[in-house]
Amino acid sequence: MRITVHRKAHFNAAHRLFRKDWDDERNLEVFGKCSNPNYHGHNYELIVSVTGEPNPETGFVMDLKILKELIYHEVEESFDHKNLNIEVAEFQDLNPTAENIAVVIWKKLRPEILEDHDLEVTLYETPRNFVSYKGE
Ligand code: NI
């Protein structure tokens, strides 16, 4: 019996979507408002989902207190109220799209989750636009 537990978290961050090798006009055409050279913010909503067999002693797949702290240390401390392009090392040369942010978060959390558990990261950039990544 495999069950999925979920923990929601939140961070605010600024970004700009652009390619250095494209001019502002082309960046605007492809990335729209998200390519504003002066950056802009999003209220990101994060859902971290861990799937596995519940531990027979505790009945937990994973202690959600531990998951909460893990998300706090690995994600919120590094991303919250930051400019992702400028202040977060992973995005120095990586466009901070919702897709890439979700992959970066997954890679930070994966080593901290039991090996036989599956990890999925869902990231809302707006209430209607969201992406999910499970390491495939
Ligand atoms: Ni944006």
Side-chain angles (χ1 to χ4, degrees), residues 1 3 13 15 23 34 37 39 72 74 76 78 80 84 101-102 104 108 110-111 114 117 120 132 134-136:
M1 179 178 65
I3 300 187
H15 76 166
D23 62 17
C34 274
Y39 305 96
Y72 180 75
E74 295 295 334
E76 292 170 61
S78 356
D80 191 36
L84 298 177
I101 299 169
V104 165
K108 287 164 80 89
R110 182 62 264 190
L114 282 178
H117 286 174
E120 180 166 8
S132 60
K134 46 186 177 186
E136 288 166 358

Side-chain angles (χ1 to χ4, degrees), residues 69-83:
E69 279 163 23
L70 191 58
I71 295 167
Y72 180 75
H73 291 301
E74 295 295 334
V75 181
E76 292 170 61
E77 275 189 337
S78 356
F79 291 5
D80 191 36
H81 286 77
K82 297 289 171 65
N83 180 314

Side-chain angles (χ1 to χ4, degrees), residues 3 9 13-16 19-20 26 31 35-36 42 48 53 62-63 77 86 89 91-92 94 99 109 115 127 133:
I3 300 187
H15 76 166
R16 178 191 179 199
R19 291 188 58 96
K20 290 173 190 164
R26 175 118 192 251
F31 298 116
S35 82
N36 176 3
H42 290 283
V48 176
E53 300 261 348
M62 180 174 184
D63 185 335
E77 275 189 337
I86 294 175
F91 300 109
Q92 293 298 302
L94 181 68
E99 290 87 333
L109 296 177
E115 257 182 48
Y133 181 64

Side-chain angles (χ1 to χ4, degrees), residues 15 17 33-34 40-42 44 125:
H15 76 166
L17 300 185
K33 280 197 228 172
C34 274
H40 62 279
H42 290 283
Y44 291 97
E125 191 172 74

Side-chain angles (χ1 to χ4, degrees), residues 20-33:
K20 290 173 190 164
D21 54 337
W22 292 355
D23 62 17
D24 283 352
E25 192 185 354
R26 175 118 192 251
N27 277 307
L28 180 66
E29 194 181 298
V30 173
F31 298 116
K33 280 197 228 172

